[in-house]
Amino acid sequence: MDGVTAAGVRASSRIVARADGRGGTALPVLDGEGPLALRRTRASGGEAKVMVVGAMSGPLGGDRFTLAARVEEGARLHVGSAAATLALPGQTKHEARYDVRLDVADGGELHWLPEQLISAHGSELQVATRAELGAGARLVLREEQVLGRAGEVPGRLTSRLTVRVAGRCVLDQELACGPGAPGGWDGPAVLAGHRAVGQLLVARPEFAERPPIARMLGECAALMPLAGPAVLVSAVAPDALLLRGLLDEALALLGP
Amino acid sequence: MSRAALLVLADGRFPAGGHAHSGGAEAAVKAGRITSAATLEDFCRGRLHTAGLVAGALAAAAVLGVEPAALDAAADARTPSPALRNAARRLGRQLTRAARACWPSPELEALAGEFPRGAHQPVVLGLAARAAGLAPGDAAYCAAYECVSGPATATVRLLSLDPFDATGVLARLAPELDRVVDRAVEAARRAADEGVGALPAASGPLLESGAEWHAAWSVRLFAS
Amino acid sequence: MHLDHHRHGPAAVSADAHRPDGSHRALRIGLGGPVGSGKTATVAALCRELRAELSLAVVTNDIYTREDAEFLLREAVLPPERITAVETGACPHTAIRDDISANLEAVEDLEDTVGPLDLILVESGGDNLTATFSKGLVDAQIFVIDVAGGDDIPRKGGPGVTMADLLVVNKTDLAPHVGSDLARMAADAKAQRSELPVILQSLRGGSGVADVAAWVRERLAAWTA
């Protein structure tokens, strides 16, 4: 940890996954700190599993978190989190930042499936997730944002997701919501009162030849082939549980 | 070149295909999310700050000379819905035709040759504005205004909404439109220096999923 | 070099008689008229009459998406790839007159995908008596009215009745049943149109669509001359 300063906590964690040459995946770098502590858990098949364990609550206003995972050629990594991330107001007026950087090389596979991000009343958080994939890389990435704890007015949350495959940007989208966000965020074009919003991004090289067909999942969720070898499932739902159900259904539809 | 060219380009009767599209309003009306002038205003405000900001920045960047193919790819990445990408290209193709007739230019000819099936409409709009000698802000105004005027006129037809109420919505949004245009132009200038990654990527999840829902209907009044 | 560049250039902007590759494009004939007057039935009959001798295609302009296109598909008057539907956003007259860009794309795409074509029929969505086709979209237009719509329509005039290159008074077989006076309709039409032709037609008997088909053949002969 860089330490706790008046401006907030700075924490940065890194994971590197490397094929061990025996069909499994080694983790030569598993470097967590403070609120982003990392635990290796039981592996399954050739896949290494890591849990992000929130050792402190946060991010709080002024905090700056960075989490980076690199999956090298032929390695397979699954990253989850032990609990939801709760964005809270801090001592300072500054917003918090949470940057996630994912790199997956050709022939590598990453399942990035953290629990929800909850934007609590009074918090201000900017999340940026950037994934860089090689042409033959595979990625399953889930992000879920929950606006406020039960019955609570949410905080201000800006979340940007950028995915590049072989150097070409296939998805760049940002959602801004909560008090102080640009107008209309809770209106009929954006969230229409829904309090849970999620994205499931699945990139597979075979989608270049055979992209999945666009389809609806219920009334407010759609599976959409992107302009590249990836699909996005975009969903809004009344709560986190219903949202998870939609994203799980979509992942099952796409098959292994 | 004349500033008044902006009036020609922004005219709702400019023959570039817009009349057949509702900008997502038809889906929102059927879903019960637009029912009145007030909910139309909420819809338009949300669309303005998401799709409108992105469209304005793309158009302004095209006026600044950012490469059209790079802008078109950036528009693709900012449009997850294939139905919306398809609508944007169809409208772009129609606008290319109208712009070539109005402001012939080698850049528009090159665009028509490079994108025979159409480039994203805001990119074409920016190149048309550039050919007409207009400024980046002019193009952004045009793009941002279209993104609210389309749903407003469509809702008049869909709900038999009082046209004075619908036009009042547009008038009330004008100050916010100014701010969106300022942000769009600022982002476009950054994109001209740093690349298209600096363009805004604001999105409305219900605009995207609503477009997919709408595209699957067999009976509808509007193409998108 | 310059010629080559021109030949492979982008599509024409509007009603240019040549395609980007320099070849002569298809003749485009528009069919307009009020709802229910028999435009789609006339298009279907023309396709059956002409498809053996001509390479043809149809563009429909529906109010609700694809209903007319689907009728033509069900009737199997042409292979499906030769029928395209244009969506008009609740304003069919706009798509054929004020903003023709979607229709121009439809006719150009048909020539690109199933061409070379001799003839493209562009059918408007059912609309009012003032809806006419832009000269930027079609080379000639047929306005179809019917006896059941009231025998005073020719007398009332309007741009469709007075200006169309051909006026078709359809469903003449119904005249006795709806109390329409065919002779009066013909005389009123003549008065409104002076030298422009009028054809009275019933698709349920007599010579069917033959007279309209003959008129189309004449236009085509003039177009390719």
Side-chain angles (χ1 to χ4, degrees), chain A residues 78-137:
Chain A
H78 179 117
V79 179
S81 67
T85 300
L86 183 63
L88 290 164
Q91 305 279 345
T92 72
K93 290 275 174 219
H94 300 286
E95 64 177 15
R97 285 202 59 130
Y98 195 154
D99 290 302
V100 175
R101 171 65 194 242
L102 310 173
D103 285 274
V104 188
D106 264 352
E109 179 164 5
L110 173 63
H111 286 228
W112 185 262
L113 300 165
E115 294 304 307
Q116 297 85 356
L117 170 65
I118 302 168
S119 169
H121 178 57
S123 67
E124 257 186 75
L125 175 64
Q126 278 221 33
V127 183
T129 303
R130 289 179 56 197
E132 285 278 352
L133 311 183

Short mmCIF file of all heavy atoms in Angstrom, two decimals, chain A residues 78-137:
data_model
loop_
_atom_site.label_atom_id
_atom_site.label_comp_id
_atom_site.label_asym_id
_atom_site.label_seq_id
_atom_site.Cartn_x
_atom_site.Cartn_y
_atom_site.Cartn_z
N HIS A 78 -9.38 -17.27 -13.32
CA HIS A 78 -10.72 -16.91 -12.89
C HIS A 78 -10.58 -15.98 -11.68
O HIS A 78 -9.93 -16.34 -10.71
CB HIS A 78 -11.49 -18.18 -12.49
CG HIS A 78 -12.90 -17.93 -12.01
ND1 HIS A 78 -14.00 -18.42 -12.67
CD2 HIS A 78 -13.37 -17.24 -10.95
CE1 HIS A 78 -15.10 -18.04 -12.02
NE2 HIS A 78 -14.74 -17.33 -10.96
N VAL A 79 -11.16 -14.80 -11.77
CA VAL A 79 -11.07 -13.86 -10.65
C VAL A 79 -12.48 -13.53 -10.17
O VAL A 79 -13.35 -13.16 -10.97
CB VAL A 79 -10.34 -12.56 -11.05
CG1 VAL A 79 -10.29 -11.59 -9.86
CG2 VAL A 79 -8.93 -12.87 -11.53
N GLY A 80 -12.70 -13.71 -8.89
CA GLY A 80 -13.97 -13.33 -8.28
C GLY A 80 -13.70 -12.42 -7.10
O GLY A 80 -12.55 -12.04 -6.83
N SER A 81 -14.74 -12.04 -6.38
CA SER A 81 -14.52 -11.26 -5.16
C SER A 81 -15.36 -11.86 -4.05
O SER A 81 -16.39 -12.47 -4.29
CB SER A 81 -14.85 -9.78 -5.37
OG SER A 81 -16.23 -9.60 -5.59
N ALA A 82 -14.87 -11.68 -2.82
CA ALA A 82 -15.50 -12.34 -1.68
C ALA A 82 -16.83 -11.67 -1.32
O ALA A 82 -17.71 -12.30 -0.76
CB ALA A 82 -14.56 -12.30 -0.49
N ALA A 83 -16.95 -10.41 -1.66
CA ALA A 83 -18.17 -9.69 -1.29
C ALA A 83 -18.36 -8.53 -2.26
O ALA A 83 -17.47 -8.21 -3.04
CB ALA A 83 -18.05 -9.16 0.13
N ALA A 84 -19.52 -7.91 -2.19
CA ALA A 84 -19.77 -6.73 -3.01
C ALA A 84 -18.83 -5.60 -2.59
O ALA A 84 -18.38 -5.55 -1.45
CB ALA A 84 -21.22 -6.29 -2.86
N THR A 85 -18.54 -4.72 -3.53
CA THR A 85 -17.73 -3.53 -3.24
C THR A 85 -18.70 -2.39 -2.92
O THR A 85 -19.65 -2.17 -3.67
CB THR A 85 -16.88 -3.16 -4.47
OG1 THR A 85 -16.04 -4.27 -4.76
CG2 THR A 85 -16.05 -1.92 -4.22
N LEU A 86 -18.44 -1.71 -1.83
CA LEU A 86 -19.36 -0.66 -1.40
C LEU A 86 -18.67 0.69 -1.50
O LEU A 86 -17.70 0.96 -0.80
CB LEU A 86 -19.79 -0.93 0.04
CG LEU A 86 -20.81 0.04 0.66
CD1 LEU A 86 -22.14 0.00 -0.09
CD2 LEU A 86 -21.02 -0.30 2.14
N ALA A 87 -19.14 1.53 -2.43
CA ALA A 87 -18.59 2.88 -2.54
C ALA A 87 -19.27 3.76 -1.50
O ALA A 87 -20.49 3.83 -1.45
CB ALA A 87 -18.83 3.43 -3.94
N LEU A 88 -18.45 4.42 -0.66
CA LEU A 88 -18.97 5.23 0.44
C LEU A 88 -18.42 6.64 0.36
O LEU A 88 -17.37 6.87 -0.24
CB LEU A 88 -18.54 4.60 1.78
CG LEU A 88 -19.20 3.28 2.14
CD1 LEU A 88 -18.43 2.58 3.25
CD2 LEU A 88 -20.65 3.49 2.53
N PRO A 89 -19.11 7.59 0.98
CA PRO A 89 -18.53 8.94 1.02
C PRO A 89 -17.29 8.95 1.93
O PRO A 89 -17.18 8.13 2.83
CB PRO A 89 -19.65 9.80 1.63
CG PRO A 89 -20.61 8.86 2.26
CD PRO A 89 -20.42 7.51 1.64
N GLY A 90 -16.35 9.83 1.65
CA GLY A 90 -15.12 9.86 2.45
C GLY A 90 -15.03 11.13 3.26
O GLY A 90 -15.97 11.92 3.34
N GLN A 91 -13.86 11.31 3.88
CA GLN A 91 -13.61 12.51 4.68
C GLN A 91 -13.43 13.71 3.76
O GLN A 91 -13.69 14.84 4.16
CB GLN A 91 -12.31 12.33 5.49
CG GLN A 91 -12.28 11.10 6.36
CD GLN A 91 -13.01 11.31 7.67
OE1 GLN A 91 -13.30 12.44 8.03
NE2 GLN A 91 -13.33 10.24 8.36
N THR A 92 -12.93 13.45 2.55
CA THR A 92 -12.62 14.55 1.65
C THR A 92 -13.74 14.73 0.65
O THR A 92 -14.61 13.90 0.51
CB THR A 92 -11.34 14.26 0.86
OG1 THR A 92 -11.65 13.25 -0.11
CG2 THR A 92 -10.22 13.77 1.77
N LYS A 93 -13.68 15.85 -0.05
CA LYS A 93 -14.68 16.13 -1.08
C LYS A 93 -14.31 15.45 -2.40
O LYS A 93 -15.09 15.48 -3.35
CB LYS A 93 -14.78 17.65 -1.30
CG LYS A 93 -15.40 18.39 -0.14
CD LYS A 93 -16.93 18.37 -0.22
CE LYS A 93 -17.57 18.98 1.03
NZ LYS A 93 -18.78 18.27 1.45
N HIS A 94 -13.12 14.85 -2.45
CA HIS A 94 -12.68 14.28 -3.72
C HIS A 94 -13.45 13.03 -4.06
O HIS A 94 -13.88 12.30 -3.18
CB HIS A 94 -11.19 13.95 -3.66
CG HIS A 94 -10.33 15.14 -3.38
ND1 HIS A 94 -10.07 16.11 -4.32
CD2 HIS A 94 -9.69 15.53 -2.26
CE1 HIS A 94 -9.31 17.04 -3.78
NE2 HIS A 94 -9.06 16.71 -2.53
N GLU A 95 -13.56 12.77 -5.36
CA GLU A 95 -14.20 11.52 -5.75
C GLU A 95 -13.17 10.39 -5.62
O GLU A 95 -11.96 10.63 -5.56
CB GLU A 95 -14.71 11.61 -7.18
CG GLU A 95 -13.60 11.81 -8.20
CD GLU A 95 -14.11 11.83 -9.63
OE1 GLU A 95 -15.31 11.98 -9.82
OE2 GLU A 95 -13.28 11.69 -10.53
N ALA A 96 -13.68 9.18 -5.57
CA ALA A 96 -12.81 8.01 -5.56
C ALA A 96 -12.64 7.50 -6.98
O ALA A 96 -13.49 7.74 -7.84
CB ALA A 96 -13.43 6.93 -4.68
N ARG A 97 -11.52 6.81 -7.20
CA ARG A 97 -11.27 6.21 -8.53
C ARG A 97 -10.92 4.76 -8.35
O ARG A 97 -10.18 4.38 -7.44
CB ARG A 97 -10.12 6.91 -9.23
CG ARG A 97 -10.47 8.27 -9.78
CD ARG A 97 -9.48 8.62 -10.88
NE ARG A 97 -9.53 7.61 -11.93
CZ ARG A 97 -9.66 7.89 -13.22
NH1 ARG A 97 -9.73 9.13 -13.62
NH2 ARG A 97 -9.68 6.92 -14.10
N TYR A 98 -11.43 3.95 -9.26
CA TYR A 98 -11.14 2.52 -9.23
C TYR A 98 -10.82 2.13 -10.68
O TYR A 98 -11.69 2.15 -11.54
CB TYR A 98 -12.36 1.76 -8.71
CG TYR A 98 -12.11 0.33 -8.28
CD1 TYR A 98 -12.94 -0.26 -7.33
CD2 TYR A 98 -11.09 -0.44 -8.82
CE1 TYR A 98 -12.75 -1.58 -6.92
CE2 TYR A 98 -10.89 -1.74 -8.41
CZ TYR A 98 -11.72 -2.31 -7.45
OH TYR A 98 -11.53 -3.60 -7.06
N ASP A 99 -9.55 1.84 -10.94
CA ASP A 99 -9.14 1.49 -12.31
C ASP A 99 -8.80 0.01 -12.38
O ASP A 99 -8.03 -0.48 -11.57
CB ASP A 99 -7.91 2.30 -12.72
CG ASP A 99 -8.26 3.76 -12.94
OD1 ASP A 99 -9.13 4.03 -13.79
OD2 ASP A 99 -7.69 4.62 -12.24
N VAL A 100 -9.38 -0.64 -13.36
CA VAL A 100 -9.11 -2.06 -13.57
C VAL A 100 -8.50 -2.23 -14.95
O VAL A 100 -9.04 -1.69 -15.93
CB VAL A 100 -10.41 -2.90 -13.46
CG1 VAL A 100 -10.13 -4.35 -13.80
CG2 VAL A 100 -11.02 -2.76 -12.08
N ARG A 101 -7.37 -2.91 -15.00
CA ARG A 101 -6.71 -3.11 -16.29
C ARG A 101 -6.53 -4.61 -16.51
O ARG A 101 -5.88 -5.28 -15.69
CB ARG A 101 -5.35 -2.39 -16.26
CG ARG A 101 -4.44 -2.67 -17.43
CD ARG A 101 -5.05 -2.14 -18.73
NE ARG A 101 -4.34 -2.71 -19.86
CZ ARG A 101 -3.66 -1.99 -20.75
NH1 ARG A 101 -3.60 -0.69 -20.63
NH2 ARG A 101 -3.06 -2.58 -21.76
N LEU A 102 -7.08 -5.13 -17.59
CA LEU A 102 -7.02 -6.56 -17.88
C LEU A 102 -6.33 -6.78 -19.21
O LEU A 102 -6.69 -6.15 -20.21
CB LEU A 102 -8.44 -7.16 -17.94
CG LEU A 102 -9.35 -6.81 -16.75
CD1 LEU A 102 -10.77 -7.31 -16.99
CD2 LEU A 102 -8.79 -7.42 -15.46
N ASP A 103 -5.32 -7.65 -19.22
CA ASP A 103 -4.65 -8.00 -20.48
C ASP A 103 -4.73 -9.51 -20.66
O ASP A 103 -4.35 -10.25 -19.75
CB ASP A 103 -3.18 -7.59 -20.43
CG ASP A 103 -3.01 -6.09 -20.58
OD1 ASP A 103 -2.95 -5.62 -21.72
OD2 ASP A 103 -2.98 -5.42 -19.53
N VAL A 104 -5.20 -9.94 -21.80
CA VAL A 104 -5.27 -11.37 -22.07
C VAL A 104 -4.58 -11.63 -23.41
O VAL A 104 -4.98 -11.07 -24.44
CB VAL A 104 -6.73 -11.88 -22.12
CG1 VAL A 104 -6.75 -13.40 -22.21
CG2 VAL A 104 -7.52 -11.41 -20.91
N ALA A 105 -3.55 -12.46 -23.37
CA ALA A 105 -2.78 -12.74 -24.59
C ALA A 105 -3.50 -13.80 -25.44
O ALA A 105 -4.42 -14.47 -24.96
CB ALA A 105 -1.39 -13.23 -24.21
N ASP A 106 -3.08 -13.94 -26.67
CA ASP A 106 -3.56 -15.00 -27.56
C ASP A 106 -3.56 -16.33 -26.82
O ASP A 106 -2.56 -16.70 -26.21
CB ASP A 106 -2.58 -15.14 -28.73
CG ASP A 106 -3.05 -14.36 -29.94
OD1 ASP A 106 -4.18 -13.85 -29.90
OD2 ASP A 106 -2.27 -14.28 -30.90
N GLY A 107 -4.66 -17.05 -26.92
CA GLY A 107 -4.70 -18.37 -26.29
C GLY A 107 -4.88 -18.32 -24.79
O GLY A 107 -4.96 -19.36 -24.14
N GLY A 108 -4.97 -17.16 -24.21
CA GLY A 108 -5.25 -17.03 -22.78
C GLY A 108 -6.75 -16.88 -22.55
O GLY A 108 -7.50 -16.53 -23.47
N GLU A 109 -7.16 -17.16 -21.31
CA GLU A 109 -8.59 -17.05 -21.01
C GLU A 109 -8.77 -16.45 -19.62
O GLU A 109 -8.14 -16.88 -18.66
CB GLU A 109 -9.25 -18.43 -21.07
CG GLU A 109 -10.73 -18.38 -20.73
CD GLU A 109 -11.49 -19.64 -21.14
OE1 GLU A 109 -10.83 -20.60 -21.60
OE2 GLU A 109 -12.71 -19.66 -21.00
N LEU A 110 -9.64 -15.45 -19.55
CA LEU A 110 -9.90 -14.79 -18.26
C LEU A 110 -11.39 -14.75 -18.00
O LEU A 110 -12.18 -14.36 -18.87
CB LEU A 110 -9.36 -13.35 -18.29
CG LEU A 110 -9.70 -12.48 -17.07
CD1 LEU A 110 -9.08 -13.05 -15.80
CD2 LEU A 110 -9.25 -11.04 -17.29
N HIS A 111 -11.75 -15.21 -16.80
CA HIS A 111 -13.12 -15.02 -16.32
C HIS A 111 -13.05 -13.99 -15.21
O HIS A 111 -12.45 -14.27 -14.16
CB HIS A 111 -13.71 -16.34 -15.80
CG HIS A 111 -14.07 -17.27 -16.91
ND1 HIS A 111 -15.28 -17.93 -16.99
CD2 HIS A 111 -13.39 -17.65 -18.01
CE1 HIS A 111 -15.32 -18.65 -18.09
NE2 HIS A 111 -14.18 -18.52 -18.72
N TRP A 112 -13.59 -12.82 -15.43
CA TRP A 112 -13.53 -11.71 -14.48
C TRP A 112 -14.95 -11.51 -13.95
O TRP A 112 -15.79 -10.92 -14.60
CB TRP A 112 -13.02 -10.46 -15.21
CG TRP A 112 -12.80 -9.29 -14.30
CD1 TRP A 112 -13.64 -8.24 -14.09
CD2 TRP A 112 -11.65 -9.05 -13.49
NE1 TRP A 112 -13.09 -7.38 -13.20
CE2 TRP A 112 -11.87 -7.84 -12.81
CE3 TRP A 112 -10.45 -9.75 -13.28
CZ2 TRP A 112 -10.94 -7.30 -11.93
CZ3 TRP A 112 -9.53 -9.21 -12.39
CH2 TRP A 112 -9.78 -7.99 -11.73
N LEU A 113 -15.21 -12.09 -12.78
CA LEU A 113 -16.58 -12.15 -12.30
C LEU A 113 -16.68 -11.65 -10.85
O LEU A 113 -17.01 -12.40 -9.94
CB LEU A 113 -17.10 -13.59 -12.39
CG LEU A 113 -17.12 -14.18 -13.81
CD1 LEU A 113 -17.29 -15.69 -13.79
CD2 LEU A 113 -18.23 -13.54 -14.64
N PRO A 114 -16.40 -10.36 -10.63
CA PRO A 114 -16.52 -9.82 -9.28
C PRO A 114 -17.98 -9.70 -8.85
O PRO A 114 -18.88 -9.74 -9.69
CB PRO A 114 -15.87 -8.44 -9.40
CG PRO A 114 -16.11 -8.05 -10.82
CD PRO A 114 -16.06 -9.33 -11.62
N GLU A 115 -18.19 -9.54 -7.57
CA GLU A 115 -19.54 -9.26 -7.08
C GLU A 115 -19.90 -7.80 -7.40
O GLU A 115 -19.09 -7.05 -7.95
CB GLU A 115 -19.60 -9.52 -5.57
CG GLU A 115 -19.40 -11.01 -5.21
CD GLU A 115 -20.40 -11.92 -5.93
OE1 GLU A 115 -21.61 -11.66 -5.83
OE2 GLU A 115 -19.95 -12.86 -6.61
N GLN A 116 -21.12 -7.42 -7.02
CA GLN A 116 -21.65 -6.11 -7.40
C GLN A 116 -20.85 -4.94 -6.81
O GLN A 116 -20.20 -5.08 -5.79
CB GLN A 116 -23.10 -5.96 -6.90
CG GLN A 116 -24.09 -6.93 -7.47
CD GLN A 116 -24.13 -8.26 -6.73
OE1 GLN A 116 -23.37 -8.50 -5.80
NE2 GLN A 116 -25.01 -9.14 -7.17
N LEU A 117 -20.99 -3.82 -7.48
CA LEU A 117 -20.50 -2.55 -6.95
C LEU A 117 -21.72 -1.78 -6.48
O LEU A 117 -22.64 -1.54 -7.27
CB LEU A 117 -19.78 -1.78 -8.05
CG LEU A 117 -19.41 -0.33 -7.73
CD1 LEU A 117 -18.40 -0.28 -6.60
CD2 LEU A 117 -18.86 0.36 -8.95
N ILE A 118 -21.74 -1.42 -5.20
CA ILE A 118 -22.91 -0.71 -4.65
C ILE A 118 -22.53 0.75 -4.43
O ILE A 118 -21.54 1.05 -3.77
CB ILE A 118 -23.36 -1.35 -3.32
CG1 ILE A 118 -23.68 -2.84 -3.55
CG2 ILE A 118 -24.57 -0.61 -2.76
CD1 ILE A 118 -23.87 -3.63 -2.27
N SER A 119 -23.32 1.63 -5.01
CA SER A 119 -23.05 3.06 -4.90
C SER A 119 -23.91 3.63 -3.78
O SER A 119 -25.10 3.87 -3.94
CB SER A 119 -23.39 3.72 -6.25
OG SER A 119 -23.38 5.11 -6.14
N ALA A 120 -23.29 3.82 -2.60
CA ALA A 120 -24.05 4.26 -1.43
C ALA A 120 -24.29 5.76 -1.47
O ALA A 120 -23.56 6.51 -2.13
CB ALA A 120 -23.30 3.88 -0.16
N HIS A 121 -25.30 6.18 -0.76
CA HIS A 121 -25.69 7.59 -0.72
C HIS A 121 -24.50 8.48 -0.34
O HIS A 121 -23.78 8.20 0.62
CB HIS A 121 -26.81 7.79 0.30
CG HIS A 121 -27.24 9.22 0.44
ND1 HIS A 121 -27.67 9.97 -0.62
CD2 HIS A 121 -27.27 10.04 1.51
CE1 HIS A 121 -27.96 11.18 -0.22
NE2 HIS A 121 -27.73 11.26 1.08
N GLY A 122 -24.28 9.52 -1.11
CA GLY A 122 -23.21 10.47 -0.80
C GLY A 122 -21.86 10.11 -1.38
O GLY A 122 -20.93 10.92 -1.36
N SER A 123 -21.72 8.89 -1.91
CA SER A 123 -20.42 8.50 -2.47
C SER A 123 -20.25 9.11 -3.86
O SER A 123 -21.22 9.46 -4.53
CB SER A 123 -20.30 6.98 -2.55
OG SER A 123 -21.22 6.47 -3.51
N GLU A 124 -18.98 9.21 -4.26
CA GLU A 124 -18.67 9.67 -5.62
C GLU A 124 -17.54 8.82 -6.14
O GLU A 124 -16.43 8.88 -5.61
CB GLU A 124 -18.20 11.13 -5.59
CG GLU A 124 -19.25 12.11 -6.03
CD GLU A 124 -18.68 13.51 -6.12
OE1 GLU A 124 -17.94 13.78 -7.08
OE2 GLU A 124 -18.97 14.30 -5.21
N LEU A 125 -17.82 8.02 -7.15
CA LEU A 125 -16.82 7.06 -7.63
C LEU A 125 -16.77 7.05 -9.15
O LEU A 125 -17.80 7.06 -9.82
CB LEU A 125 -17.18 5.65 -7.12
CG LEU A 125 -16.31 4.49 -7.63
CD1 LEU A 125 -14.86 4.64 -7.16
CD2 LEU A 125 -16.87 3.15 -7.17
N GLN A 126 -15.55 6.99 -9.66
CA GLN A 126 -15.33 6.79 -11.09
C GLN A 126 -14.64 5.45 -11.27
O GLN A 126 -13.54 5.26 -10.74
CB GLN A 126 -14.38 7.86 -11.63
CG GLN A 126 -15.05 9.14 -11.95
CD GLN A 126 -14.52 9.74 -13.25
OE1 GLN A 126 -14.16 9.00 -14.17
NE2 GLN A 126 -14.48 11.04 -13.31
N VAL A 127 -15.27 4.57 -12.02
CA VAL A 127 -14.67 3.27 -12.30
C VAL A 127 -14.29 3.24 -13.78
O VAL A 127 -15.07 3.67 -14.63
CB VAL A 127 -15.68 2.13 -12.04
CG1 VAL A 127 -15.03 0.78 -12.28
CG2 VAL A 127 -16.25 2.21 -10.64
N ALA A 128 -13.10 2.76 -14.07
CA ALA A 128 -12.72 2.57 -15.47
C ALA A 128 -12.14 1.17 -15.62
O ALA A 128 -11.18 0.82 -14.93
CB ALA A 128 -11.70 3.62 -15.89
N THR A 129 -12.74 0.38 -16.47
CA THR A 129 -12.24 -0.97 -16.73
C THR A 129 -11.79 -1.03 -18.17
O THR A 129 -12.56 -0.71 -19.08
CB THR A 129 -13.35 -2.01 -16.49
OG1 THR A 129 -13.83 -1.87 -15.15
CG2 THR A 129 -12.83 -3.42 -16.71
N ARG A 130 -10.52 -1.41 -18.35
CA ARG A 130 -9.99 -1.51 -19.73
C ARG A 130 -9.47 -2.90 -19.94
O ARG A 130 -8.63 -3.39 -19.18
CB ARG A 130 -8.86 -0.50 -19.93
CG ARG A 130 -9.34 0.93 -19.99
CD ARG A 130 -8.19 1.87 -20.18
NE ARG A 130 -7.41 1.53 -21.36
CZ ARG A 130 -6.17 1.98 -21.58
NH1 ARG A 130 -5.59 2.75 -20.70
NH2 ARG A 130 -5.54 1.65 -22.69
N ALA A 131 -9.97 -3.55 -20.97
CA ALA A 131 -9.50 -4.89 -21.31
C ALA A 131 -8.82 -4.84 -22.67
O ALA A 131 -9.37 -4.30 -23.62
CB ALA A 131 -10.67 -5.87 -21.33
N GLU A 132 -7.60 -5.40 -22.72
CA GLU A 132 -6.85 -5.49 -23.99
C GLU A 132 -6.69 -6.97 -24.30
O GLU A 132 -6.05 -7.70 -23.53
CB GLU A 132 -5.45 -4.89 -23.82
CG GLU A 132 -5.38 -3.39 -23.78
CD GLU A 132 -5.39 -2.74 -25.16
OE1 GLU A 132 -5.28 -3.46 -26.19
OE2 GLU A 132 -5.52 -1.51 -25.21
N LEU A 133 -7.26 -7.42 -25.41
CA LEU A 133 -7.22 -8.83 -25.74
C LEU A 133 -6.42 -9.08 -27.01
O LEU A 133 -6.52 -8.31 -27.97
CB LEU A 133 -8.65 -9.38 -25.97
CG LEU A 133 -9.71 -9.06 -24.91
CD1 LEU A 133 -11.02 -9.74 -25.27
CD2 LEU A 133 -9.25 -9.52 -23.55
N GLY A 134 -5.68 -10.18 -27.02
CA GLY A 134 -5.07 -10.63 -28.26
C GLY A 134 -6.15 -11.22 -29.16
O GLY A 134 -7.26 -11.51 -28.71
N ALA A 135 -5.82 -11.40 -30.44
CA ALA A 135 -6.83 -11.87 -31.40
C ALA A 135 -7.43 -13.21 -30.99
O ALA A 135 -8.61 -13.47 -31.21
CB ALA A 135 -6.21 -11.96 -32.79
N GLY A 136 -6.65 -14.06 -30.35
CA GLY A 136 -7.14 -15.39 -29.98
C GLY A 136 -7.47 -15.50 -28.50
O GLY A 136 -7.55 -16.62 -27.97
N ALA A 137 -7.65 -14.40 -27.81
CA ALA A 137 -7.93 -14.44 -26.37
C ALA A 137 -9.41 -14.66 -26.11
O ALA A 137 -10.26 -14.39 -26.95
CB ALA A 137 -7.49 -13.13 -25.72
#
